[in-house]
Amino acid sequence: MKPIRVGLLGIGTVGRGTWDVLQRNASEIRRRAGRPIRITMVADREVAHAKKITGGKVKVTADAMQVVCSPDVDIVVELIGGDRVARTLVMEAIRHGKHVVTANKALLAKHGNAIFSAAQKKGVMVAFEAAVAGGIPVIKALREGLSANRIEWIAGIINGTSNFILSEMRDKGLPFETVLAQAQQKGYAEADPTFDIEGIDAAHKLTIISAIAFGIPMQFEKAYTEGISKLTRKDIEYAEALGYRIKLLGITRRAKKGIELRVHPTLVPASRLIANVEGVMNAVLAKGDAVGATMYYGAGAGSQPTASAVVADLVDVTRLITADPEHRVPHLAFQPDQLSSTPILPMGEVQTSYYLRMRVVDRPGVLADITRILAAARISIGAMVQKEPAEGEAHVDIVLLTHQAIEKNVDTAIARIERLATVVGQVTRIRMEELL
Ligand code: HSE
C-alpha cells in the first residue's frame, strides 16, 4: 500500500523524537499500521537545523502554511506549541482535509471545542494522545479502555516539571530555582516555565481528561489552578511527619451538583502508590464504577516518550483512515451530540479535607479560639500537631488536619483565624485527598 505522508510542524524536542522513532521502528510500524508512515515535509524556523536532522531526505521549509496546504501531505503533526499560530495552522489543515496529530494541550484546552467541531464537519481526525501525560496512553485508556464505566474521579500527577521539583526539594534539599533550571535543561519544562510551576500546564491536561471522562465540553477557564511556587520546605516536612507527601495533583470528580475541576498541591497519604511517583514521572489514577481504581504510570515528558504517543496516534489515524467518519472513536469519547451540560463547580462548592498551618502566640486560649472558629464553620479536626517553640521565639506553628469540609466554609474560617490578634501572618492551606 502507498505510504501515509506526514507533514511535521516543528522539529524541536518532541519533533526530533518523532523523526527518530519513525526511522528506527519503520518496519515494525508498517507491520502494525498496514502501510508505511513517512514524514515527507518538515516546517521549522531553524531550516538548517531541520535539514541536518532529516539529512536531506525530505522537503524542509520555514513556512508551516506550505505544509498544511500541501496536496502531498495526508496527516499534519503539530508540535510547535502555543495556542495562536498553532490554532490557525490546525484549523487550516482541517480545512484542507488533513488529519491532525497534536501534542498541544494548551491549544486543545482552550480551542478544542472549535477544533473538534471543525474536524467533525470535515470528516477528519484530530488525535492528541501526546497532549496528556507524555508517553502514557491515558487518553486511549479513558476513552476506549474504560468506556464501560461511569467514571467517578480522576487524580493525576500530570506535570513532570513540578513533580521533579517537589521530589528533588524533598529528597536532596535542593533549592527551587536549581531544580527548575535542571528541568529546563532536560527539556521537560514548557517554553514559559510558569505554566509548569503555577499549575497551568496541569490544568490544560486536566481539562482534556475531564472532558473525556465525563462527556462535557472543554472548560479550561473554569478550572481552579494553584501551583507549587508558594510551597515551603516546612510544609513538606510537616506533611511527612504526619504521614503524607505533597504532590501537585489535577483532580476532576463527579459530585452531586456538578463536576470538580481543580489543580493544587495536595497532601496524599505516603503509603499510596501515587505518593511515591517521583521525578519527572507522571501517574494518573482513574476510578470507574465497574473497574474500581486503576493507575497509569510512565514518563510524562521528554523527547522519545512523547514521540511514542505521537507515533501511536499516527498508527491509529492510519488504521482508521478508511473508516466511516460517523463510526470512528469520538474525539471526546462521547458522541458529539451527546455531550452533557453538567456544570463545573465553583471552587467554593468543592468538598475535601485540609492541612492548615498557622503561626500563633504561645499562650493559653489561643487554640481554643481557633477550634471555636472551626466548629462554627462546621469543620471537624482530624489531627493536630503543635511544635515546640524554637529557643527565644514567642511564636509556634500549629498544624491541623481536618475531616471533609466545604471549601467556602474553610475560606470563612481562615479569614476569621487570620483576624485573631494571636495569629501571625497568613494561614497556609493545602488540600488533602485520600484517593480511595
Ligand atoms: N512541561 C510538561 C511537564 C511537559 O513538565 O510535564 C509535558 O507536557
Side-chain angles (χ1 to χ4, degrees), residues 105 158-161 188-190 196 201 205 282 300-301:
K105 53 260 160 151
I158 43 180
N159 182 265
T161 300
Y188 303 147
E190 296 302 300
D196 296 296
D201 175 71
K205 295 166 183 165
N282 279 199

Side-chain angles (χ1 to χ4, degrees), residues 238-253:
Y238 286 153
E240 284 232 84
L242 289 157
Y244 291 83
R245 296 256 169 95
I246 301 180
K247 293 288 179 191
L248 183 73
L249 291 190
I251 299 169
T252 185
R253 189 191 306 270

Side-chain angles (χ1 to χ4, degrees), residues 276-306:
N276 295 282
V277 171
E278 301 288 16
V280 75
M281 302 309 274
N282 279 199
V284 178
L285 253 175
K287 178 141 190 225
D289 65 338
V291 71
T294 57
M295 186 162 137
Y296 311 91
Y297 169 86
S303 176
Q304 296 223 352
T306 311

Side-chain angles (χ1 to χ4, degrees), residues 133-333:
I136 311 174
V138 69
I139 298 297
K140 201 165 196 76
L142 293 172
R143 192 167 56 184
E144 296 168 53
L146 297 184
S147 58
N149 288 262
R150 188 175 153 86
I151 304 288
E152 293 173 4
W153 53 261
I154 296 173
I157 295 174
I158 43 180
N159 182 265
T161 300
S162 52
N163 200 51
F164 180 67
I165 292 173
L166 289 178
S167 303
E168 296 285 292
M169 282 173 73
R170 190 179 67 82
D171 277 0
K172 303 189 181 142
L174 289 171
F176 184 88
E177 288 72 20
T178 310
V179 193
L180 175 60
Q182 286 176 6
Q184 285 175 296
Q185 268 163 21
K186 289 173 194 266
Y188 303 147
E190 296 302 300
D192 177 354
T194 56
F195 273 42
D196 296 296
I197 59 183
E198 298 304 348
I200 300 161
D201 175 71
H204 287 148
K205 295 166 183 165
L206 185 70
T207 299
I208 299 172
I209 291 179
S210 179
I212 288 175
F214 301 118
I216 53 172
M218 309 269 193
Q219 294 163 80
F220 169 68
E221 68 291 349
K222 295 191 186 147
Y224 172 81
T225 307
E226 181 185 318
I228 59 168
S229 60
K230 293 198 189 83
L231 271 186
T232 63
R233 263 207 72 73
K234 209 178 209 181
D235 292 313
I236 294 175
E237 281 163 17
Y238 286 153
E240 284 232 84
L242 289 157
Y244 291 83
R245 296 256 169 95
I246 301 180
K247 293 288 179 191
L248 183 73
L249 291 190
I251 299 169
T252 185
R253 189 191 306 270
R254 194 194 292 271
K256 275 203 193 89
K257 294 191 214 151
I259 287 162
E260 298 178 4
L261 187 64
R262 50 192 170 102
V263 172
H264 49 70
T266 313
L267 266 75
V268 182
S271 57
R272 298 272 181 281
L273 215 46
I274 198 166
N276 295 282
V277 171
E278 301 288 16
V280 75
M281 302 309 274
N282 279 199
V284 178
L285 253 175
K287 178 141 190 225
D289 65 338
V291 71
T294 57
M295 186 162 137
Y296 311 91
Y297 169 86
S303 176
Q304 296 223 352
T306 311
S308 159
V310 170
V311 175
D313 273 349
L314 283 171
V315 172
D316 254 7
V317 172
T318 303
R319 283 171 176 157
L320 287 170
I321 230 152
T322 49
D324 159 15
E326 298 300 317
H327 294 94
R328 290 179 187 148
V329 179
H331 290 111
L332 292 182

